[in-house]
Amino acid sequence: MPKVLVTHQLPGEQVHQLPDHCDMNVWMGPGLLPASSLRDELTDCEGLLCLLTDRIDEALLDANPQLRFIASMSVGVDHIDVKAATARGIAVGNTPGVLVETTADASFALLLAAARRLVEADHFVRGGHWRVENAWSPEFFTGKDVAGATLGIVGLGEVGQAVARRAAGFGMKVLAWNRSARNVPGVEMVELDDLLADSDFVSINVALGEETRNLIDARRLGLMKRDAVLVNTARGGIVDEVALAEALSHDRLAAAGLDVFEREPVPDDHPLLSLPNVVATPHIGSATLATREKMADMAALNMLAALGNEKMPNCVNPEVYQS
């Protein structure tokens, strides 16, 4: 039976079908499979079921020439060198669509939390600072109105469109920029610079790639309103984090809600973490029990198809099946 590595214990039902079709080795922890151990654990494996925290680069592929297929429990595959995998005839599967609504919920949760300074207020109460002498004042933790404001969505894919639907419930005007033309009711397509200049809130929902790396750089941050709020639940490399910290710390931007960072886990000394106007979460955009189970099931179904010498139901490089 072909040997397969699963880099983490997974939820869902379909993963339990894999041992009937392969010799399955599951990393049991503790914690995540270290990058230094991945190469050794992958020895002689034909298949790999990985997480977005597993870096699958060309060197790893060269060290494991017997590898035939990779299934990732993620929508994004920027942690995998897909070009190198394709050149070696390795099919790469992902889990699209399943986390759309969950991630859109997270985007809007961060937007509201940053706008209304909820984390600051929570720390204020828990820190014992809310006392009789400062119980209330007209300027007490004043934030920014969401209802009726203008929301700019950078990336009008499935998640971006789901964010737009939520914005409609708040009576927001919705602008959007996308790399290809989209016609979405209630959404006005504009150029990126115009979106940044005109929006009260900006939600980043575009995929990370060479075209979008540092898409929101110092120049584009400088186009935004001083009282605007930036939210990112896509990938950290899309926003220049040094420039973002500069803007937030010098009152050139009101607040940010960030679920993703260029380096994850984010370093303790990252300048964004010291700012009170940043709401930071640890890449939990898809973190509901139901969504994670569906993602694991989709990844396992990709593996089962590959083990049966069939095309993965969700394959990001289908050209490997044409050779």
Side-chain angles (χ1 to χ4, degrees), residues 113-138:
R116 296 304 303 270
R117 302 173 62 185
L118 297 187
V119 173
E120 287 182 76
D122 177 86
H123 289 170
F124 184 82
V125 174
R126 293 177 187 274
H129 305 298
W130 195 24
R131 302 185 179 123
V132 172
E133 61 270 20
N134 65 350
W136 192 89
S137 70

Side-chain angles (χ1 to χ4, degrees), residues 176-194:
W177 171 86
N178 199 68
R179 286 174 290 175
S180 58
R182 292 286 170 90
N183 183 14
V184 177
V187 178
E188 179 184 350
M189 300 300 296
V190 297
E191 295 297 325
L192 180 55
D193 286 3
D194 294 332

